[in-house]
Amino acid sequence: MEKLLVPLGILVIGLLFGKMLRRLWENKVIFGSAPLDLFLKKTIQWVLLIVSPFIITGAFWTVKLDSLKLIELPVLGVLTLVIGGLLAVGVSKFQKLDRAKTGSMFVSGSFTNMGNFGTFFCFVFIGENSLPYIALFRLLEEFLYYSVGFPIAKSFGDKERIEGDKSPLRYLTSNPFILISSLAIVWGCLLNMSGMERPAIYGTMISYMVPLSTFLIVIPIGFNINFTALRSYIKECYSISLVKFVAVPLIITALGYVLGIGQIHDNMVLKVMLILSAMPPAFTSLVPPQLYKLDTDLANSSWLFNSGMLILVAPILYLVLQSI
């Protein structure tokens, strides 16, 4: 039960703490003149730029990639994003949403929080040995966002080119999250091949940094959640929930099982695939609606609502994992 209570506790406490910070800040009890909202947004970036690369390096430092079937993992990671996006667009057409809403539904269905929430649940439910498979599953994630996801989102938005808009190639070569994550993988592999043993303290630090990074990500969600705004998009939010938490994980885990990749290392890879494919929209899903004049309120509501849904999804994931 500890494996279930720890993530639920972090999610609930983080959300409540963020909500409490909001009230105290708005009433000028604390940080009255400080831009606390901007600071919390920056916190997410710091986690992605500093904590995540540290964890990735440590994972690849000790990994033993002893099966050729593992080369299929990045492909299944790509399919997770593609299938989510296609299903979200299909649901939008069924609900007869306009182009701006459809574009926001697309990014909500496609862009997935496999990095922070996915890593956290894999780490708590499975263990540190799952981290390299997470990195492989996500290997092409950022590439697909900026080379395919952003242009598709743009096709649903304002046709006029927005000042400061970058081409997909410029996003790929200048985005610090992609560059630093790639360097972390390369550095971890080089350390692995060097034969240098990873210090024991590194693993201890990872065991603290994974839950801490998730807690820091959840606080801004609690801070920004607005139940009044959510009511206007509740139907769309529930639709994305069905896509993200039901349809996509069923399809991806079934594919992994049929291909035989899931059974590697006592079904550990299948468990990783299930968790990562059942995560809510990524923070990155909030960027294209702002750039291309899509429905930003829908995107924000979907991100907040479905991130909060993890409180209900986590126990179900835990029970399913016990049966695999």
Side-chain angles (χ1 to χ4, degrees):
M1 283 301 294
E2 182 183 351
K3 285 187 175 182
L4 178 59
L5 292 176
V6 168
L8 285 180
I10 287 176
L11 289 174
V12 172
I13 294 172
L15 289 170
L16 292 176
F17 183 67
K19 193 65 178 175
M20 180 188 69
L21 276 180
R22 180 82 187 201
R23 288 189 176 181
L24 294 175
W25 180 64
E26 288 180 339
N27 294 326
K28 301 189 182 300
V29 176
I30 57 171
F31 308 113
S33 59
L36 185 58
D37 52 341
L38 296 178
F39 175 79
L40 290 176
K41 287 181 181 179
K42 289 291 182 183
T43 301
I44 297 176
Q45 297 177 2
W46 296 338
V47 169
L48 296 177
L49 289 172
I50 299 173
V51 179
S52 293
F54 181 87
I55 295 170
I56 291 171
T57 297
F60 275 90
W61 194 341
T62 58
V63 67
K64 290 180 175 60
L65 303 176
D66 51 4
S67 175
L68 288 177
K69 279 187 172 293
L70 289 173
I71 62 176
E72 297 171 4
L73 263 182
V75 178
L76 288 168
V78 168
L79 285 176
T80 299
L81 308 180
V82 171
I83 293 169
L86 289 175
L87 290 176
V89 172
V91 169
S92 301
K93 297 296 184 183
F94 179 77
Q95 295 179 348
K96 298 180 180 179
L97 302 180
D98 60 35
R99 292 184 63 82
K101 284 185 170 61
T102 301
S104 291
M105 289 284 284
F106 165 75
V107 292
S108 291
S110 178
F111 294 25
T112 304
N113 198 329
M114 296 187 282
N116 294 104
F117 287 142
T119 298
F120 174 61
F121 284 107
C122 285
F123 184 83
V124 174
F125 289 160
I126 306 173
E128 186 185 343
N129 292 335
S130 65
L131 296 179
Y133 308 116
I134 298 169
L136 284 174
F137 194 82
R138 299 183 57 224
L139 190 62
L140 301 174
E141 178 190 5
E142 299 289 345
F143 176 83
L144 196 72
Y145 286 164
Y146 294 104
S147 63
V148 179
F150 271 58
I152 291 177
K154 184 179 180 181
S155 71
F156 288 104
D158 197 318
K159 297 299 182 182
E160 296 180 3
R161 187 173 182 85
I162 300 171
E163 186 179 355
D165 184 21
K166 296 181 180 180
S167 67
L169 181 60
R170 288 187 63 192
Y171 268 118
L172 292 170
T173 55
S174 64
N175 187 281
F177 304 112
I178 297 176
L179 295 175
I180 292 178
S181 295
S182 301
L183 287 173
I185 293 173
V186 172
W187 182 237
C189 289
L190 290 174
L191 289 171
N192 191 319
M193 292 185 292
S194 72
M196 186 187 305
E197 187 175 350
R198 195 184 77 177
I201 193 173
Y202 204 116
T204 303
M205 292 175 68
I206 287 177
S207 68
Y208 286 103
M209 293 179 78
V210 171
L212 176 61
S213 63
T214 302
F215 182 70
L216 293 175
I217 292 289
V218 172
I219 290 173
I221 296 175
F223 184 87
N224 290 297
I225 198 164
N226 185 339
F227 293 105
T228 303
L230 280 174
R231 292 193 192 101
S232 302
Y233 296 96
I234 197 68
K235 182 174 66 174
E236 292 84 353
C237 289
Y238 276 123
S239 298
I240 292 297
S241 293
L242 290 174
V243 169
K244 306 292 279 187
F245 301 133
V246 180
V248 173
L250 282 175
I251 295 170
I252 293 301
T253 50
L255 280 173
Y257 184 82
V258 170
L259 293 172
I261 187 174
Q263 291 85 342
I264 297 173
H265 299 310
D266 297 325
N267 293 327
M268 180 186 292
V269 176
L270 186 68
K271 293 177 181 180
V272 169
M273 291 166 52
L274 171 61
I275 293 173
L276 296 184
S277 61
M279 288 294 105
F283 181 73
T284 316
S285 68
L286 305 182
V287 179
Q290 297 177 34
L291 285 177
Y292 307 129
K293 299 182 181 179
L294 304 176
D295 193 320
T296 55
D297 288 336
L298 191 159
N300 292 338
S301 296
S302 176
W303 179 69
L304 292 168
F305 178 86
N306 287 291
S307 295
M309 279 288 288
L310 282 175
I311 295 175
L312 300 177
V313 173
I316 298 173
L317 272 177
Y318 179 75
L319 292 174
V320 173
L321 289 170
Q322 300 311 301
S323 64
I324 296 178

